[in-house]
Amino acid sequence: MPPHTREAGIRGGTDPAGEPTPEVRPRDVHSHIPKTHGMRSARVTLGLCPPRQEPVLCTLCACPSGRPSMRGPAILLTVALATLLAPGAGAPVQSQGSRNKLLLVSFDGFRWNYDQDVDTPNLDAMARDGVKARYMTPAFVTMTSPCHFTLVTGKYIENHGVVHNMYYNTTSRVKLPYHATLGIQRWWDNGSVPIWITAQRQGLRAGSFFYPGGNVTYQGVAVTRSRKEGIAHNYKNETEWRANIDTVMAWFTEEDLDLVTLYFGEPDSTGHKYGPESPERREMVRQVDRTVGYLRESIARNHLTDHLNLIITSDHGMTTVDKQAGDLVEFHKFPNFTFQDIQFELLDYGPNGMLLPKEGRLEKVYNALKDAHPKLHVYKKEEFPEAFHYANNPRVTPLLMYSDLGYVIHGRVNVQFNNGEHGFDNKDMDMKTIFRAVGPSFKAGLEVEPFESVHVYELMCRLLGIVPEANDGDPATLLPMLHTEPALPPDGRPALPLHGRSAVLPSSWALVVMGLLGTMILLSEVA
Ligand SMILES: [Zn+2]
C-alpha cells in the first residue's frame, strides 16, 4: 500500500494492482474537496425530482390525494402554471428544434499569443464575429490530459483525478505513455462525469473526436460517437484535419448530435520539436488558422451558422527549453540524493516530477532535495501550494516538484531533448492559452479579460441548457460573453429563460411558487 493512502485526511485504499482506488463516488463527488474551492452542487437542484419526473406530481404527492376542495379546474390551472414555472423541476426544457448545438475545438499547446507574430486572418475574423479572451489560464499541471479533463468537467485537477498524462501505479511501478493512457478506463473514470455523459443523461447526444478522455466509459456510459487516434498517428496532416471536420459536420447534420469535442494535436507537437519561437511553429499556426477558416466555412455550408456555438481553445501554452543552461536540473548529480531511497519515481516529464520514497525515508529524501537546485521546487504533498489545486488527490505522491520556466527535470540520465515544453506554473505567461467563441449565443467583437479554464464547463452547460455536475467553476464568470445575462437567483442558477430557449428553475423555488398559487386558488374558492 503506498504511504500516501495512509496520510491523515486521505481516504480511499488501493486496488489489487496497487493504484489508489477512487475515494469519490457518484453521490459523493467532492467529499475530499476543501470548502474554500467554492464548490456548488447541482445535485441539490436535481435532488427533489429526477429530471424526467413531472414536477406537478411532486406537488400533488405533497398533498392528500383526491382532496375534495381541489376541483378539476383549479387542479388543472395549478398544474398548468406549475408546469410553466417549474420545467423539469430544475432540468432544462428545450424543444429539439430550437436547441443550439455546441462544438468545442482544442488545438493542443496553442499559446495565448501565437497569433501575434503570424498572420491569422481566420482567427481574426472569428474574434470580430464573436468573443476573444485576452488569454485563458489553464489548470496546473499544465499538461494535456489533466487540462483537457478540466475543460470538460469544470474541476481543478486534484478534484477530477486525471493528474498526469501518464497512467502510473506506485506499487507495480507500471508507467504508460500518453496514448496508452487514453484507453485506461480507470484512469479517467474515477468519480467525475464529463460533459458528454451529463449531456446524454439529460437527453442530448454527444461526440468526441480524438478528445482526451472521450474513449472510455463513465459509470458505464459511453460517449454517443467517439474516435480515437492510432498509436502512430500523424497529428499534423492538414488533409486529415479537414476530413475530421467533415466527419464532425456529419455528426451534427446527419446524426443530430448536440455536442462534439474535437481535438487537434498541433501546434503542440511542433512546439515541442522546434520550440515555440521557431519558423516551424509559426507555419503550424498558419495551418491552424487555415483550418479555422475551413471549419467556419463548413459550418456555413451545413447551414449551422445560426444553430451552432463554436468554442476554440487549448490546454496550455509552450515555452523554450534552455538546453544550454549551465545549471540543468539533474537528479543524478544531486550530492545527497540516491535513487536507492526511492520506491517509485515519475521524472523526465518536462518540469514536473513525483516521488514515492521507500518506507521511512521521506524526510531524508525531502531534505536532500529541498535545496538541491535553485530552479527546482520540491514539496511534501501536504505543503504544496493550495493555489495550484493539484496535490489534494490520492494519486499524487508524498513528494512532488516542478521547475522554473525553461528548465526540465532530468532523472537518472538526461533523456529529454525537446526544444519546447509545458507543464510549468500556470501563472507563467508562456503557459497561458487561447479562448475564442462565436455563434448565435455569443456577442460579437467582444474581448474579455483573462479567466481560468475551470469556468468553461459551466459556460458549455449553459449553452446546451443542461444542468451541470458539481464543479469548481463559477457560472457567472463567463455570462458577459453571451447576448443575454439572466438575473441570477441567490443560488446562482438562472431564473429566466436563456435566449428564450431554455429555463432552469430551482425546484425549491418552483415548489414555493406552486404552493402559493394553489393556496390562492383554494382561498378564492372558499370566499
Ligand atoms: Zn505537449
Side-chain angles (χ1 to χ4, degrees), residues 144 268 272 316 422:
T144 299
D268 184 74
H272 280 300
H316 51 70
H422 53 86

Side-chain angles (χ1 to χ4, degrees), residues 108-109 142-144 165 268-269 272 315-318 418 421-422:
D108 195 321
T142 48
M143 274 185 208
T144 299
N165 278 353
D268 184 74
S269 297
H272 280 300
D315 46 358
H316 51 70
M318 186 72 70
N418 281 340
E421 200 51 86
H422 53 86

Side-chain angles (χ1 to χ4, degrees), residues 309-353:
N309 288 306
L310 168 65
I311 294 174
I312 293 181
T313 186
S314 180
D315 46 358
H316 51 70
M318 186 72 70
T319 196
T320 301
V321 177
D322 188 356
K323 298 165 75 172
Q324 306 306 320
D327 55 345
L328 297 177
V329 178
E330 298 166 303
F331 266 63
H332 55 88
K333 291 185 179 174
F334 291 163
N336 299 317
F337 174 82
T338 170
F339 279 98
Q340 292 181 350
D341 290 332
I342 302 300
Q343 176 179 324
F344 172 83
E345 79 218 42
L346 189 49
L347 302 172
D348 306 301
Y349 209 96
N352 309 106

Side-chain angles (χ1 to χ4, degrees), residues 386-426:
E386 288 186 14
F388 284 128
H389 301 291
Y390 180 72
N392 188 21
N393 187 282
R395 288 174 168 175
V396 173
T397 56
L399 292 179
L400 66 160
M401 66 204 71
Y402 66 95
S403 50
D404 281 345
L405 210 59
Y407 287 77
V408 298
I409 299 173
H410 298 284
R412 294 171 187 263
V413 291
N414 293 13
V415 293
Q416 297 184 89
F417 306 107
N418 281 340
N419 288 302
E421 200 51 86
H422 53 86
F424 299 91
D425 187 337
N426 57 355

Side-chain angles (χ1 to χ4, degrees), residues 167-229:
Y167 167 86
Y168 58 90
N169 182 307
T170 57
T171 302
S172 67
R173 302 183 187 181
V174 167
K175 290 183 270 190
L176 299 178
Y178 169 76
H179 184 271
T181 302
L182 292 178
I184 302 297
Q185 173 80 29
R186 59 183 169 167
W187 189 244
W188 300 90
D189 182 22
N190 78 116
S192 295
V193 179
I195 191 169
W196 309 292
I197 308 304
T198 302
Q200 289 175 198
R201 284 178 173 173
Q202 296 179 42
L204 277 62
R205 292 161 60 79
S208 167
F209 204 115
F210 292 175
Y211 194 96
N215 307 104
V216 298
T217 61
Y218 294 88
Q219 298 174 9
V221 181
V223 183
T224 309
R225 287 284 175 271
S226 178
R227 289 284 180 89
K228 180 186 175 189
E229 64 271 56

